[in-house]
Amino acid sequence: MTPSRPELAIGVDLGGTKIHAAVVNRDGQVVSSHRIGTDVGGGPAKVVEDIAGAIQDGLGVDLSEIGAVGVGVAGQVDPRSGLVRSSPNLKWTDFPFGERLQEALGVPVVIDNDVQAATWGEWKHGAGRGFDDLLVLFVGTGVGGGAVTGGQLLIGRSGMAGEMGHVTIVVGGRQCTCPNKGCLEAYVGGWAIAKRAVETVLANGDAGRGLLDLARGAEITARLVSEAAANGDALAADIMDRTGRYLGAGLVGLVHVFEPARVVFGGGVIEGSPGLVEIAESVVRASAISAYTDGLEFVRSELGADAGVVGSASMALERVDALP
Amino acid sequence: MTPSRPELAIGVDLGGTKIHAAVVNRDGQVVSSHRIGTDVGGGPAKVVEDIAGAIQDGLGVDLSEIGAVGVGVAGQVDPRSGLVRSSPNLKWTDFPFGERLQEALGVPVVIDNDVQAATWGEWKHGAGRGFDDLLVLFVGTGVGGGAVTGGQLLIGRSGMAGEMGHVTIVVGGRQCTCPNKGCLEAYVGGWAIAKRAVETVLANGDAGRGLLDLARGAEITARLVSEAAANGDALAADIMDRTGRYLGAGLVGLVHVFEPARVVFGGGVIEGSPGLVEIAESVVRASAISAYTDGLEFVRSELGADAGVVGSASMALERVDALP
């Protein structure tokens, strides 16, 4: 059934709230895509069924033209066996996801970690194209990342490398969602920006009124802070400025550790506040050993929200191409 | 002259104060070694002459038995050309070191970064043997390190990756010797331990008397603090305990980023205070995401001060073996 050198693959980005599936060609272009919600409560079998349905009915492609299906999963996976060892977002433990989805689709299925897949996407088809030493940082609700070193994707002992959000930047600092205190994510993740903003508003009375008015009784979110900052609210601008500085402080370390040629920034917080890249860059240039920043480039993601599906599809094709 | 598959190589660890040369066999064992001072003031030609002399006269080996000479240099080097781009310790810029030493010795010479060479040594012949995902941290006067990821040594864009001492652990914290504030090295490097100890003594009057008495009017050093702590001085013990906690805070981040199978600790500060490993390990186990520490091992360097010469010799042999 599978063509000998297929031109198309399907990439799936599987998170705890939504499933994003896309047909992707060898140039990394999205041919068609489809999004549905994730029915975590229905259990793993239901998610397999929903993904198979989304692929068969939502993408308008004949599966006989598809070389492979790659799925990026938020969690700890074993790419060799397709086992999802643990995914807190999906509430899965040791689920043979690759095997089950392959049974449902009749097409080779490859499972990877979602952030590593997105890193691969930016590396092969996005802002990291052609770089052998690359750092990719995704700042969304959480903060994750990936690295390419010496032309090889950083994987780690069991596929979990790249938790760039969980580097300590303030010893004994703000409690993170992980057991650590003072993680980068606890300052610049979307949830952390919102939390810092609420605290700042509570502590600043009048100056915080702008944000409160904008929220209109609803929760203060990172997006709201970022919009308020763009509209000239001084308190919000200060919060985002500090966010950029924290981001820079974390990056100084990563730049010294990896010595990349390029840093790529993606994720919802960056999309909402692109100015963060500039602030972080200026901090890194001022604080790092100069040999590490000479020639180092800071750029934004080219694939945006498609990085995951493009990366998963591309990794899956590469894996299938390598089969004897 | 060079035997077809030589059994011996020479490793040289070249720093700003001393030159350590050794004959090393394929099993990573030091057959003979020799140490001399580095005459930085004499310029690069004098250092080449001194190294050649130390090798010819100090090692008791016939150069015709030697497959290659590997030199680890504190600084930025280009392993392909043997160029030392920049070495602040040696005060060299763009010196064709490999070429000159090869002319002087008539044996293939390979140049690498000293800390990467030491990491290679622990990986191939020391405490990191057999691990594809490894983190090595050297805590001496300065703090450096290396990583092996997916069975490949981390090199970086231009050979400078692994500045693990220059990750920010306290935003806006203590001034480092690099332009950054709050680096790991600014808390746990030998110079930083000494500086923190002086400040603590000045601020604590009576409690600091033990350290002052030990110093007998000379400078307070990290070694002195570590000896005083071992001998029950409460203030010194507290300083070393905090040092271990800072080390752990930095390591939490590196463990999340690399997901290694093993962390190897070396360097003079660790040799003087092996208890630091235990403190750092307990911090990492308490603070990291548990999946990253399950099965993760913390061990001390096996090669100690020989890691550099063993690594340089071993890398050089591997390079020469790979030649057509």
Side-chain angles (χ1 to χ4, degrees), chain A:
Chain A
M1 283 259 289
T2 309
S4 58
R5 193 178 185 276
E7 287 304 314
L8 298 175
I10 288 171
V12 180
D13 197 348
L14 170 59
T17 57
K18 59 178 191 286
I19 296 166
H20 177 196
V23 175
V24 180
N25 68 19
R26 283 204 178 256
D27 295 329
Q29 287 159 333
V30 171
V31 177
S32 67
S33 73
H34 189 58
R35 281 182 170 83
I36 56 171
T38 312
D39 181 5
V40 173
K46 180 63 170 29
V47 172
V48 168
E49 193 185 316
D50 288 351
I51 293 176
I55 286 176
Q56 281 153 342
D57 308 330
L59 291 176
V61 70
D62 185 340
L63 277 182
S64 70
E65 291 175 51
I66 296 298
V69 175
V71 190
V73 180
Q76 190 193 353
V77 306
D78 179 353
R80 280 155 308 199
S81 65
L83 186 77
V84 174
R85 286 213 200 86
S86 154
S87 171
N89 297 6
L90 295 166
K91 307 196 200 311
W92 291 1
T93 307
D94 291 331
F95 177 59
F97 178 45
E99 200 177 295
R100 296 293 160 80
L101 188 60
Q102 187 159 323
E103 282 164 15
L105 292 171
V107 174
V109 170
V110 169
I111 307 295
D112 283 288
N113 169 273
D114 60 344
V115 183
Q116 288 179 3
T119 300
W120 180 280
E122 289 293 343
W123 179 32
K124 292 296 180 179
H125 299 291
R129 238 181 352 262
F131 287 88
D132 279 348
D133 293 278
L134 183 69
L135 190 64
V136 183
L137 206 64
F138 296 102
V139 186
T141 302
V143 177
V148 174
T149 70
Q152 185 176 294
L153 187 72
L154 174 67
I155 301 287
R157 161 173 61 119
S158 74
M160 298 192 301
E163 280 288 5
M164 315 290 182
H166 300 283
V167 295
T168 312
I169 62 165
V170 180
V171 169
R174 299 180 70 89
Q175 180 63 52
C176 191
T177 52
C178 86
N180 195 27
K181 283 185 177 171
C183 283
L184 177 58
E185 179 174 307
Y187 293 84
V188 311
W191 66 265
I193 295 173
K195 205 167 177 187
R196 287 170 45 224
V198 169
E199 291 172 11
T200 310
V201 163
L202 291 176
N204 281 273
D206 277 3
R209 213 159 273 170
L211 273 176
L212 281 177
D213 288 351
L214 269 172
R216 293 185 193 171
E219 257 186 296
I220 292 181
T221 61
R223 180 190 295 259
L224 186 91
V225 179
S226 143
E227 282 167 4
N231 291 327
D233 182 274
L235 197 80
D238 183 60
I239 293 168
M240 292 315 289
D241 185 66
R242 285 170 199 262
T243 303
R245 293 176 184 282
Y246 286 124
L247 187 57
L251 256 180
V252 169
L254 294 170
V255 163
H256 283 145
V257 166
F258 285 105
E259 204 215 351
R262 186 172 260 204
V263 181
V264 176
F265 294 81
V269 167
I270 300 290
E271 302 295 324
S273 270
L276 289 174
V277 173
E278 222 169 296
I279 302 171
E281 172 172 357
S282 75
V283 169
V284 175
R285 294 211 184 276
S287 312
I289 300 168
S290 64
Y292 289 75
T293 53
D294 293 344
L296 173 62
E297 298 171 336
F298 296 77
V299 302
R300 282 176 56 200
S301 152
E302 279 180 17
L303 301 179
D306 284 340
V309 292
V310 169
S312 288
S314 162
M315 281 177 102
L317 266 189
E318 174 144 326
R319 235 43 89 69
V320 167
D321 284 346
L323 291 177

Side-chain angles (χ1 to χ4, degrees), chain B residues 190 193-194 197-198 201 208-231 233 236-237 239-240 272-273:
Chain B
I193 295 173
V198 169
V201 163
R209 211 161 273 170
L211 272 176
L212 281 176
D213 287 352
L214 269 173
R216 292 185 193 172
E219 257 185 294
I220 292 181
T221 61
R223 180 191 296 259
L224 188 91
V225 178
S226 141
E227 282 167 5
N231 291 327
D233 181 274
I239 293 168
M240 293 315 290
S273 270

